[in-house]
Amino acid sequence: MTLSEKLHAIGLPLLRAQLDHPTVAGIGRGDLPEPVFRSWLEQDYLFLLDYVRVFARLAWQAPDGRLGDLVDLAHATFHDELNLHRSMSAQFGADLEGARKGAACAAYTAFLLESAADYGEGLAALYPCMWGYSTLGRMLAENPPAEPRYRAWVDTYADPGFAALAARIGEMIDEAGPDPARAEALFTEGMAHELAFWDVP
């Protein structure tokens, strides 16, 4: 079993807690109250700006053969994912420019930026977001919400292209070969941040 496969095994039961979270369950049903999703959009927008910075910090350390992957991931996050947030924010009335980080967002981004000081460890720390959202999207897409805005959100993360980006991170973790115990601890901590992030301010 590769290291990334071990992380998947650790992550699946933790992902179940996210699926059961009221915010995720509400998205899945399509009946999440709009103010909750609006707040989540604002927080995730701020998170993604720092997520791009995490990719950039890792790109600086990456082996030549993986530099392009991290540039691609930064580009996809900055353009595709943030554009989705801008589009959805217009539909929900979110104030992206006026948003301020809540406690969960601030703690999560600080954790990721600090972890990115080491290439292999930084990849393990950010993997819960990429792999987690891809897996959540795929699970929610099995019975997607009828509400079109929430359906668009689910479709984005269930898309095979997003799954391919997440798979790249798994491959890079295996190639980088960080200390397995350290990688598992960082991955588990990242999963805890993911769950806490759904408790929108």
Side-chain angles (χ1 to χ4, degrees):
M1 182 181 289
T2 65
L3 178 54
S4 63
E5 289 171 338
K6 290 179 183 176
L7 299 182
H8 298 165
I10 292 168
L12 280 173
L14 300 175
L15 205 60
R16 183 60 55 183
Q18 291 188 51
L19 278 171
D20 293 338
H21 191 283
T23 301
V24 179
I27 292 171
R29 292 189 306 268
D31 63 3
L32 182 69
E34 288 195 12
V36 177
F37 195 67
R38 180 164 57 243
S39 181
W40 180 87
L41 279 170
E42 292 169 353
Q43 292 301 300
D44 203 49
Y45 181 81
L46 297 173
F47 169 85
L48 288 172
L49 290 174
D50 277 345
Y51 206 49
V52 173
R53 293 181 173 96
V54 170
F55 284 133
R57 190 173 193 191
L58 293 173
W60 185 80
Q61 306 170 64
D64 292 348
R66 286 300 186 180
L67 178 58
D69 292 282
L70 286 159
V71 171
D72 287 348
L73 287 160
H75 184 276
T77 303
F78 189 80
H79 292 284
D80 300 338
E81 204 168 352
L82 282 172
N83 281 342
L84 169 72
H85 278 59
R86 293 184 185 100
S87 173
M88 297 199 79
S89 293
Q91 299 175 53
F92 283 89
D95 179 12
L96 299 183
E97 300 308 318
R100 297 292 178 267
K101 287 182 183 177
C105 182
Y108 196 3
T109 54
F111 161 73
L112 289 174
L113 288 163
E114 180 179 349
S115 299
D118 179 273
Y119 177 68
E121 292 185 1
L123 291 170
L126 68 81
Y127 198 41
C129 186
M130 294 290 298
W131 172 81
Y133 270 63
S134 175
T135 308
L136 274 178
R138 189 169 65 250
M139 290 175 170
L140 292 173
E142 293 174 1
N143 184 25
E147 207 283 340
R149 296 172 299 176
Y150 292 131
R151 174 64 182 264
W153 187 92
V154 170
D155 287 346
T156 294
Y157 294 107
D159 187 273
F162 189 80
L165 292 176
R168 279 203 232 176
I169 295 292
E171 294 168 1
M172 292 160 69
I173 291 170
D174 293 334
E175 291 170 4
D179 176 74
R182 178 67 176 153
E184 290 172 18
L186 288 165
F187 179 83
T188 302
E189 186 173 351
M191 290 296 293
H193 281 292
E194 283 289 315
L195 180 60
F197 200 90
W198 293 113
D199 291 326
V200 295

